[in-house]
DNA sequence: ATATTATTCTGACAAAAGTCATCTTTTTCG
DNA sequence: CGAAAAAGATGACTTTTGTCAGAATAATAT
């Protein structure tokens, strides 16, 4: 598959305000802008692979990407779903290690690649930016700690409910008092987010549906009762 | 319980070489040193609590501390066990959030407290130090990602084996071709590390013991067959 | 449009792990 | 030291969840 390039100035990027580059001074932003390469990816294409060495940073301009690990039995665990404005692959870049995860396009994406050197240059010249990056990384880490504890002690039902609510927070589009999760996720992907088997997700989703908590809209899920779903996520109904 | 202070110059700290402060220039190190407060804690005492605001950084000079989250049902999940040389509570400090976990002393500890201001001053003045901190945080994050995937798809038996090996790497003392895990962990704590019930840990440990993989030495565990344990953990044996 | 493939769904069953109860052994502390 | 509390151990039982097999539906490609 040939790589399709596109170009958009960072200053004109509609997702600049959502990204860590926001507030960067014009000089630094133009340094990033002048060295970046922007590529359009189709669903199913890979951005980077576990075990390879990062050579730069990816910045999402459009689409959705899943970042996941594969275990020995080939089972996927999705660590993160990136949306426009998000950085991709910064963890391994900053720790100077190999990628520990693979990134694959879920919905056709536009992604800009910023070479390591340019990114590090701005990072080192600009303490305010550096601080913002550190803050973001540490925030992410807090989310991971939360997920760890959740995975350790919550049932699959609770985790599914919690994850649907998280997806609603990030990808939810409000309408008629409910929220459509604007993400074309397969049941398999959802299982890889929750950390369970596909069949279990299917069964629980239809339970939630028959309980009136969610509904299906094509491949997407609509959250009808966030509060009731939250109750499912927090409590063990004994 | 009265707080017992102690004092030791950072330059003379035997764990300096293991800590992120290693290689710091004398000026910066003395800034840290001049503002720190060092306290001795007894087993069971708390260093900080989930939900409170960090006011500085803790640097371990002796002992062992568990960092954990409590869930709704009161079940603990241990995120990290800190040893001399480790920083404690830097995540929340750097992300400027509340603590998301509680820190409790496992083995009598000596811990130095560095006020937020002093730490941030050195961090901002010293880009090399900043880079080292970022690198460490991102490395930690990689470990968490690993743990997440493990928790999601491995059995309790595999996770227990993997965690025993990890503890062996960090706290193992070699002798007679085997490794004593130098950590007085209760079965309950071990269960909180693995993310399972205490009874399950007890049963699996005695299985491992009868299979000749480990032995008990007082409250401590000796790893007799790391390679066989690695096979149990479904890890690639190097 | 139709064949092919992938995804979703359902049922039956087995295995893993949690819970509860009880007992024994250690540890702690007055 | 000895009583009380905590930790460790074991058995019986239940619940949850994973696995396998097969059918129905949807998506994709030729």
């Amino acid at each position: 598959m040939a790589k399709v390039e596109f170009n958009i100035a960072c200053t004109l990027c509609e997702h600049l305000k959502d990204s860590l580059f926001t507030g960067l001074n014009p000089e630094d932003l133009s340094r990033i802008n002048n060295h970046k390469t922007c590529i359009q990816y189709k669903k199913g294409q890979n951005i980077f692979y576990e075990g390879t060495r990062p050579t730069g940073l990816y910045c999402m301009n459009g689409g959705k990407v899943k970042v996941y690990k594969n275990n020995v039995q080939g089972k996927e665990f999705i660590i993160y779903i990136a949306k426009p404005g998000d950085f991709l692959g910064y963890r391994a870049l900053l720790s100077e290690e190999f990628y520990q995860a693979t990134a694959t396009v879920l919905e056709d994406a536009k992604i800009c690649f910023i070479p390591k050197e340019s990114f590090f240059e701005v990072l080192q010249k600009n303490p305010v930016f550096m601080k913002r990056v550190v803050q973001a990384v540490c925030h992410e880490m807090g989310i991971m700690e939360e997920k760890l504890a959740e995975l350790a002690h919550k049932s699959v039902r609770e985790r599914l409910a919690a994850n649907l609510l998280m997806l609603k927070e990030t990808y939810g589009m409000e309408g008629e008092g409910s929220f459509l999760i604007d993400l074309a996720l397969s049941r398999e992907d959802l299982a890889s987010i929750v950390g369970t088997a596909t069949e279990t997700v299917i069964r629980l989703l239809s339970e939630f549906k028959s309980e009136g908590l969610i509904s299906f809209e094509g491949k997407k899920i609509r959250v009808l009762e966030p509060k009731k779903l939250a109750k499912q996520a927090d409590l063990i109904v004994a």
Side-chain angles (χ1 to χ4, degrees), chain A residues 5 7 9 38 40 47 54 77 80 106 122-123 125 130 155 179-181 184 203 206 212 224 228 233:
Chain A
E5 292 198 20
N7 215 320
C38 303
Q40 288 187 269
I47 318 297
F77 181 76
Y80 189 71
L106 280 181
V122 173
L123 209 53
K125 273 188 45 194
M130 174 66 108
S155 69
F179 301 83
L180 183 69
I181 296 174
R203 279 182 247 264
S206 68
L224 300 172
K228 288 186 185 173

Side-chain angles (χ1 to χ4, degrees), chain A residues 30-86:
Chain A
S30 89
R31 187 185 307 271
I32 297 289
N33 187 56
N34 294 337
H35 291 87
K36 77 178 199 292
T37 314
C38 303
I39 292 176
Q40 288 187 269
Y41 294 85
K42 288 260 162 220
K43 178 180 171 177
Q45 284 188 297
N46 290 308
I47 318 297
F48 55 76
Y49 296 89
E50 188 170 349
T52 63
R53 190 180 292 284
T55 57
L57 176 79
Y58 298 88
C59 185
M60 299 271 301
N61 175 66
K64 311 276 163 59
V65 170
K66 64 173 171 180
V67 181
Y68 60 97
K69 292 172 80 77
N70 267 105
N71 80 347
V72 191
Q73 290 90 44
K75 278 188 221 156
E76 242 175 52
F77 181 76
I78 295 179
I79 296 164
Y80 189 71
I81 292 181
K83 59 181 189 309
D86 286 347

Side-chain angles (χ1 to χ4, degrees), chain A residues 43 71 106-107 119 145 157 167 173 230:
Chain A
K43 178 180 171 177
N71 80 347
L106 280 181
E107 295 176 14
F119 178 62
E145 288 179 1
R157 189 187 178 84
L167 291 171
M173 299 195 325

Side-chain angles (χ1 to χ4, degrees), chain A residues 101-215:
Chain A
T102 303
T104 301
V105 175
L106 280 181
E107 295 176 14
D108 293 2
K110 293 177 168 185
I111 304 174
C112 302
F113 175 80
I114 297 128
K116 183 178 170 168
E117 296 74 28
S118 312
F119 178 62
F120 275 159
E121 215 176 318
V122 173
L123 209 53
Q124 270 162 31
K125 273 188 45 194
N126 191 332
V128 178
F129 179 56
M130 174 66 108
K131 197 182 173 191
R132 186 138 21 97
V133 169
V134 171
Q135 208 167 326
V137 170
C138 288
H139 176 74
E140 272 308 306
M141 209 161 148
I143 292 173
M144 295 235 167
E145 288 179 1
E146 200 65 55
K147 279 194 180 187
L148 268 178
E150 185 180 299
L151 213 39
H153 290 306
K154 284 193 173 181
S155 69
V156 174
R157 189 187 178 84
E158 291 171 308
R159 269 147 49 202
L160 178 60
N163 277 290
L164 286 175
L165 286 171
M166 271 188 29
L167 291 171
K168 180 216 128 201
E169 282 312 310
T170 315
Y171 302 97
M173 299 195 325
E174 194 163 3
E176 313 140 41
S178 63
F179 301 83
L180 183 69
I181 296 174
D182 187 28
L183 237 182
L185 272 187
S186 69
R187 304 290 138 118
E188 198 178 353
D189 281 332
L190 194 48
S192 299
I193 292 174
V194 175
T196 187
T198 310
E199 293 93 326
T200 305
V201 161
I202 290 171
R203 279 182 247 264
L204 289 173
L205 280 180
S206 68
E207 278 180 39
F208 285 162
K209 187 188 168 188
S210 68
E211 288 163 23
L213 307 177
I214 61 172
S215 66

